[in-house]
C-alpha cells in the first residue's frame, strides 16, 4: 500500500525519472482526493502537480507547479495519488485555473489520454505547527 511520508519529505518538487519507451509520451498528475479532510471531501482531488509531454528524455511541460502536501491539523491522513497517462501525441493544453475538484481521469479523457499507472503515498499532519 501507499507509503506514509512526512510534510518535510514531500515539500519539494519531485524529480521525474521516467523510463518512457522511445517515441511515447506521458502526463503525470498528483492529486489529493481527501481535501480538505479525509471525512469532508469538498475540494476532492486537489491538484498538486501536473506535467505533460514527458518523453524518454524526462523533460515535459509543467502545467501546474508543484505544491507540496500540507493537510490541515486534525484533518486525518490524506492520500496523494500519482497518476500516469499515456498520450496519443504531444498536447498543447492548459490545466484548469482552479486546483480544486480536478477530475484527472475526465481531463485526461478529454485530451485523448489513457491511464496506464497509479500509485499513492499518504501524509498526516501530526502537530499544529510543522
Amino acid at each position: 500500500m501507499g507509503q506514509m511520508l512526512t510534510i518535510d519529505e514531500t515539500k519539494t518538487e519531485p524529480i521525474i525519472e521516467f523510463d518512457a519507451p522511445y517515441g511515447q509520451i506521458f502526463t503525470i498528475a498528483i492529486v489529493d482526493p481527501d481535501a480538505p479532510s479525509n471525512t469532508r471531501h469538498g475540494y476532492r482531488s486537489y491538484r498538486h502537480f501536473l506535467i505533460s509531454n514527458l518523453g524518454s528524455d524526462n523533460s515535459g511541460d509543467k502545467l501546474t507547479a508543484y505544491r507540496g502536501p500540507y493537510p490541515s491539523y486534525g484533518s486525518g491522513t490524506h492520500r496523494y495519488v500519482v497518476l500516469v497517462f499515456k498520450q496519443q501525441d504531444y498536447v498543447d493544453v492548459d490545466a484548469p485555473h482552479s486546483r480544486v475538484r480536478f477530475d484527472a481521469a475526465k481531463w485526461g479523457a478529454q485530451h485523448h489520454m489513457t491511464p496506464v499507472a497509479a500509485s499513492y503515498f499518504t501524509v498526516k499532519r501530526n502537530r499544529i505547527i510543522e
Side-chain angles (χ1 to χ4, degrees), residues 32-46 75 77-79 100-102:
D32 174 2
D34 299 317
S37 77
N38 63 3
T39 58
R40 294 180 299 114
H41 304 290
Y43 301 128
R44 172 159 268 164
S45 292
Y46 181 90
S75 67
T77 301
H78 287 237
R79 297 165 293 161
V100 300
R101 297 182 188 97
F102 178 67

Side-chain angles (χ1 to χ4, degrees), residues 17-105:
E17 294 180 346
F18 192 66
D19 195 16
Y22 182 78
Q24 295 185 19
I25 46 179
F26 298 85
T27 290
I28 296 177
I30 301 176
V31 297
D32 174 2
D34 299 317
S37 77
N38 63 3
T39 58
R40 294 180 299 114
H41 304 290
Y43 301 128
R44 172 159 268 164
S45 292
Y46 181 90
R47 187 177 66 247
H48 283 266
F49 189 58
L50 185 62
I51 186 168
S52 288
N53 299 322
L54 278 167
S56 57
D57 63 355
N58 287 319
S59 67
D61 299 324
K62 195 180 307 179
L63 304 178
T64 302
Y66 182 72
R67 185 172 289 167
Y70 200 75
S72 299
Y73 179 73
S75 67
T77 301
H78 287 237
R79 297 165 293 161
Y80 294 87
V81 182
V82 180
L83 302 162
V84 180
F85 296 90
K86 184 178 179 197
Q87 298 174 211
Q88 291 181 359
D89 205 346
Y90 283 91
V91 293
D92 183 16
V93 297
D94 293 320
H97 177 70
S98 176
R99 289 178 180 252
V100 300
R101 297 182 188 97
F102 178 67
D103 186 333

